[in-house]
Structure formats: structure tokens, C-alpha cells
Amino acid sequence: MARKSPQPKATSSEVLECVRQNCPSCGKPMWNEYNNLRRVRTLKGVVELRLKIRSCQ
């Protein structure tokens, strides 16, 4: 079913970093490939979660 009203603006924002910053295979630092954005509705408001996706070049 389609949304009839726009999604509310986020009241807070969190950036989630990867636990592993180096590649498990070669040991070199991994690059930030892209950001994955999600909005989650909680009882305290809308939280914007931004996950940084990393990959080895």
C-alpha cells in the first residue's frame, strides 16, 4: 500500500562505523565504498541510521 503522507524528518542521527577497518585477507585499510541510510521510528522519535560500507580495493 502506498504512503499517503511523507515520512517525518529525523529527530536524531547516528553514524555506524565498521568494527573491522582493515581487510582480513590482505591487511590493508578498506575504503568507504558507500553509505547505507535507514530511518527507524522509535517511541522517542525518528532516528536516521547511516552505515558506512567498506570494501577492499
Side-chain angles (χ1 to χ4, degrees), residues 4-6 9-10 12-13 20 22-27 29 32 36 40-41 43 48 51-53 56-57:
K4 295 182 181 179
S5 61
K9 299 290 182 186
S12 64
S13 177
R20 192 174 281 177
N22 294 331
C23 177
S25 299
C26 66
N32 187 17
N36 197 349
V40 179
R41 293 182 189 204
L43 294 175
E48 183 178 84
L51 174 63
K52 294 188 174 189
I53 307 296
C56 183
Q57 297 295 324

Side-chain angles (χ1 to χ4, degrees), residues 2-4 7 11 13 15 18-20 25 30 33 36-37 39 42 44-45 47-48 50 52-53 55:
R3 184 175 300 181
K4 295 182 181 179
Q7 188 172 11
T11 56
S13 177
V15 177
C18 294
V19 174
R20 192 174 281 177
S25 299
M30 292 190 286
E33 199 64 35
N36 197 349
L37 178 69
R39 287 193 183 104
T42 65
K44 293 183 180 180
V47 179
E48 183 178 84
R50 187 176 308 263
K52 294 188 174 189
I53 307 296
S55 68

